[in-house]
Amino acid sequence: MASSSGPALNEELQCSICLEVFTDPVTTPCGHNFCRTCLSKCWTNKKIGFCPICKERVVRRPDLKINKTLRDLVQHFKKNLNLGESEVFCDFCGERKQKAVKSCLTCQSSYCDDHLEPHLRVPRLKKHKLINAVENLEDYICQKHERPLEMFCRDDQMCVCLFCTEGEHRTHNTVPIEEESRKMKNQLVQTQTDVHQMIQDRMKKIQEIKHSVELRKRNTEKEKSSSVEIFTDLIRSIERCQSEQLKMMEEQQKEAEKQAEDLIKELHQEITELKKRNTELEQISHTDDHLHLIQMNSFLSSRPHNKNWTEIRIDSDVDVIPLKRALTLLKKTQETLNEKIIQTKLKFVQKFAVGVTLDPDTVNPYLILSDDGKQVSHGDIKQNVPENPKRLDQVICVLSKQGFSSGRFYYEVQVKGKTEWELGVARESINRKGSITLTPEDGYWTVILENENQYIACDNPVVSLSLRVKPEKVGVFVDYEEGLVSFYDVGSRSHIYSFTGQTFTDKLYPYFGPGDNDEDKNSNPLIITPVSPLMY
């Protein structure tokens, strides 16, 4: 290239389809430039065209006209960088035509060095306007007056001749083409600088994205390794408990068998002694020797040794304490995993954080909003507020200014120190006048606190919630298309409740109810707080 800036400018003057410097450049309605032939081929046999760069639809096919300013810039660029020497030939040479060096806009002809000589010598011809030789000489001539295009009309953004400036362009802002060209060149330089900066910014963003993906990959591998380790430990623990359980059961079985063997042996001994005594008694009972019978009285009156066997038994139950310990460990591990899953889910939904501001047009007259629209509290006294069809006149609540009809959104609210509050979302078409019922059927998806420690999900039917800790900051997440409204305790990183399988058709607005003041027991405001992503 002829200049250091050549390659960079070359990229800006390239057609994104053929990747060559523009030939007959045309501009689409969305502002992108292409070679006319390239774009025409791209749109061939298509009822609806698309911009090859931004994919914007072109419903009505435009009449593609050459962007003359851009074409002139391309030609100037080609000449400066020697990308193509002039192939224009002299109009006055004979059989062996010489290359033209100049074109005369007045004569509308091109000349080689020899045939140009009169224009450099004859006074009348010296007044003609000469330019570097060009093929498309007709583009430099006013088609109406057949005069050189020497002026530029800024009102109509077109090149005109001097006769045009005295006719239909007489009242327009016209300047010499050279002046407008200098201005455009300056703009192009600035545009080039801006484009280069945009390229640098995007290259930097690419590196940021790649770094984020790589960091996430490392974190994912770390978490996978941690999960594998947890499950491996769990499996090992269960296997260890299983081994201990089987070993203990075998030992207990051996002990039971030995105990049974000893008892049976003892029983056999007693049976032998009892049989012997029975034989002796049998013999005595048949004697006729009365004196001998009386002398045996002490033997007869003594009872044989007789152990009470009714309370003695072999325990048939099996001790399963190690198995219970394994099940307890499994349950504990499951709770740990569930907690980690919830924390990961909370970290994920925080990415959809949105800015939320309270809407004074909807606020109940008994509520007071902060100047920045981020806090609401009960004022005990009814405020003098103007009538507004959006205002909720009996329900002690306020909606946000921002409504959402698609996608996902998330926001957090500080509820610290309050004994009552209501949070969630409401659809745009709710009844704003008179009493309401906080149910999904009536357009409300809310969780509330009553009587300081009674947490309720206002589903149908209502669900009483048992929370391990008292939330100080509540996060609300909505997935419009999924029909999901979830509530999280941000402080303990735990899940509170989710409405699932809902169908949303209206805009959804964040809903805030600070509750009654309750003699200053519930005077703390609800505060919309900035979302700080969880750190692990």
Side-chain angles (χ1 to χ4, degrees):
M1 293 297 176
S3 68
S4 60
S5 63
L9 184 58
N10 184 22
E11 293 177 1
E12 303 305 318
L13 298 180
Q14 279 183 351
C15 171
S16 61
I17 298 176
C18 66
L19 300 180
E20 297 292 340
V21 177
F22 291 121
T23 301
D24 292 335
V26 294
T27 304
T28 60
C30 57
H32 293 111
N33 301 307
F34 307 90
C35 298
R36 181 165 61 179
T37 303
C38 294
L39 188 59
S40 297
K41 288 182 180 178
C42 185
W43 284 353
T44 300
N45 299 326
K46 291 183 180 178
K47 294 182 178 180
I48 299 178
F50 293 86
C51 172
I53 293 179
C54 68
K55 307 303 180 185
E56 180 175 316
R57 295 175 57 177
V58 182
V59 180
R60 296 187 62 183
R61 190 72 60 82
D63 182 15
L64 299 174
K65 294 184 178 180
I66 295 175
N67 185 330
K68 295 180 180 179
T69 302
L70 182 57
R71 185 188 61 187
D72 293 345
L73 178 63
V74 171
Q75 289 179 344
H76 179 74
F77 171 75
K78 285 182 176 179
K79 289 177 182 178
N80 287 345
L81 297 180
N82 296 320
L83 291 180
E85 296 181 359
S86 170
E87 292 297 328
V88 181
F89 293 96
C90 178
D91 293 329
F92 296 94
C93 287
E95 292 183 1
R96 190 174 182 180
K97 288 185 175 292
Q98 299 293 319
K99 286 186 178 181
V101 293
K102 293 289 182 180
S103 296
C104 177
L105 298 181
T106 306
C107 300
Q108 300 185 29
S109 300
S110 298
Y111 302 92
C112 64
D113 283 328
D114 294 339
H115 290 105
L116 180 65
E117 189 271 335
H119 277 75
L120 303 178
R121 175 176 49 82
V122 178
R124 179 177 59 84
L125 295 178
K126 289 174 68 175
K127 295 180 180 180
H128 289 189
K129 188 172 183 63
L130 297 175
I131 62 173
N132 291 330
V134 292
E135 295 180 43
N136 51 320
L137 193 56
E138 66 277 4
D139 290 340
Y140 293 79
I141 305 297
C142 175
Q143 300 301 312
K144 182 177 182 180
H145 300 109
E146 296 187 351
R147 302 287 295 175
L149 297 172
E150 300 180 85
M151 306 295 289
F152 182 79
C153 178
R154 287 177 172 171
D155 292 346
D156 294 336
Q157 291 291 298
M158 62 183 296
C159 295
V160 296
C161 69
L162 290 174
F163 282 10
C164 292
T165 62
E166 296 174 357
E168 57 183 300
H169 295 271
R170 181 168 53 86
T171 60
H172 292 183
N173 179 15
T174 57
V175 296
I177 282 182
E178 292 79 7
E179 179 181 338
E180 186 66 19
S181 177
R182 285 194 298 272
K183 177 184 175 184
M184 287 187 175
K185 285 180 180 179
N186 292 335
Q187 290 176 344
L188 284 171
V189 170
Q190 182 59 48
T191 301
Q192 182 183 359
T193 301
D194 294 341
V195 169
H196 286 173
Q197 185 60 48
M198 291 171 66
I199 292 172
Q200 294 301 317
D201 292 343
R202 281 151 181 76
M203 292 295 290
K204 183 178 180 181
K205 180 56 68 175
I206 289 173
Q207 294 304 316
E208 289 180 3
I209 293 173
K210 287 183 177 179
H211 177 70
S212 297
V213 171
E214 184 61 31
L215 182 61
R216 181 179 180 83
K217 182 179 179 181
R218 290 200 297 267
N219 289 338
T220 300
E221 293 300 324
K222 182 179 178 181
E223 291 301 320
K224 284 169 61 179
S225 176
S226 177
S227 298
V228 169
E229 185 177 342
I230 291 174
F231 281 111
T232 301
D233 289 345
L234 177 61
I235 292 171
R236 287 174 179 169
S237 177
I238 292 175
E239 289 176 345
R240 185 172 62 254
C241 290
Q242 181 187 35
S243 176
E244 292 177 0
Q245 173 69 21
L246 294 176
K247 183 178 180 180
M248 186 197 71
M249 290 170 65
E250 290 175 357
E251 290 177 351
Q252 288 179 342
Q253 179 64 26
K254 288 180 179 179
E255 184 179 347
E257 290 176 356
K258 184 178 185 305
Q259 182 184 7
E261 183 181 344
D262 292 342
L263 291 174
I264 290 173
K265 183 177 180 180
E266 186 177 352
L267 284 168
H268 278 305
Q269 289 177 349
E270 288 194 9
I271 290 172
T272 301
E273 291 178 1
L274 289 172
K275 283 183 177 181
K276 180 180 178 182
R277 184 176 182 84
N278 188 56
T279 301
E280 292 175 347
L281 291 173
E282 182 71 22
Q283 292 175 352
I284 294 173
S285 65
H286 289 90
T287 184
D288 293 331
D289 188 343
H290 302 294
L291 179 61
H292 179 67
L293 182 62
I294 292 172
Q295 290 176 343
M296 295 295 294
N297 180 53
S298 60
F299 173 76
L300 295 174
S301 60
S302 64
R303 295 183 61 83
H305 174 68
N306 188 12
K307 189 174 182 177
N308 185 6
W309 291 93
T310 58
E311 299 299 328
I312 297 175
R313 64 184 181 87
I314 301 297
D315 192 357
S316 60
D317 293 333
V318 180
D319 188 359
V320 292
I321 291 179
L323 183 59
K324 290 180 179 178
R325 188 165 66 244
L327 293 175
T328 300
L329 179 60
L330 176 61
K331 184 178 179 181
K332 192 172 183 180
T333 304
Q334 183 64 47
E335 290 176 353
T336 302
L337 290 174
N338 287 341
E339 183 178 349
K340 192 167 185 63
I341 290 171
I342 291 172
Q343 291 178 0
T344 303
K345 179 69 174 177
L346 179 55
K347 187 176 181 181
F348 170 76
V349 301
Q350 284 183 326
K351 296 178 181 178
F352 301 97
V354 294
V356 175
T357 309
L358 302 173
D359 186 0
D361 290 340
T362 67
V363 66
N364 181 277
Y366 281 93
L367 298 182
I368 299 175
L369 304 184
S370 62
D371 293 338
D372 62 358
K374 296 294 185 180
Q375 301 185 28
V376 57
S377 58
H378 197 286
D380 274 342
I381 302 174
K382 187 175 183 179
Q383 310 295 312
N384 184 17
V385 294
E387 287 293 328
N388 194 309
K390 295 169 60 178
R391 192 176 309 285
L392 294 108
D393 61 354
Q394 290 194 25
V395 185
I396 310 299
C397 68
V398 59
L399 303 180
S400 71
K401 291 181 180 179
Q402 296 76 18
F404 305 89
S405 56
S406 64
R408 302 162 173 167
F409 64 93
Y410 173 85
Y411 62 95
E412 293 179 352
V413 183
Q414 181 176 307
V415 296
K416 184 178 181 180
K418 296 192 64 63
T419 59
E420 292 182 12
W421 50 258
E422 301 171 357
L423 289 175
V425 292
R427 68 183 179 214
E428 187 173 30
S429 60
I430 56 173
N431 177 24
R432 303 185 183 223
K433 308 300 177 184
S435 59
I436 64 165
T437 305
L438 292 178
T439 62
E441 288 74 18
D442 289 331
Y444 297 88
W445 292 266
T446 59
V447 167
I448 68 175
L449 168 63
E450 293 182 341
N451 302 322
E452 193 170 355
N453 56 12
Q454 295 179 5
Y455 295 91
I456 299 172
C458 297
D459 210 333
N460 192 6
V462 297
V463 179
S464 180
L465 304 174
S466 178
L467 306 184
R468 291 182 299 173
V469 295
K470 189 178 179 69
E472 295 186 352
K473 185 183 292 185
V474 175
V476 182
F477 171 70
V478 176
D479 188 327
Y480 194 97
E481 283 74 20
E482 192 69 23
L484 172 69
V485 182
S486 294
F487 298 81
Y488 296 91
D489 179 351
V490 180
S492 66
R493 303 177 181 180
S494 59
H495 175 251
I496 296 176
Y497 188 78
S498 286
F499 294 85
T500 59
Q502 307 299 305
T503 301
F504 303 131
T505 54
D506 289 8
K507 267 189 177 181
L508 297 179
Y509 289 83
Y511 170 99
F512 307 84
D516 293 333
N517 194 30
D518 193 17
E519 298 178 349
D520 287 339
K521 295 178 183 177
N522 190 40
S523 60
N524 284 8
L526 289 177
I527 304 174
I528 302 170
T529 59
V531 175
S532 299
L534 295 178
M535 302 299 292
Y536 295 96

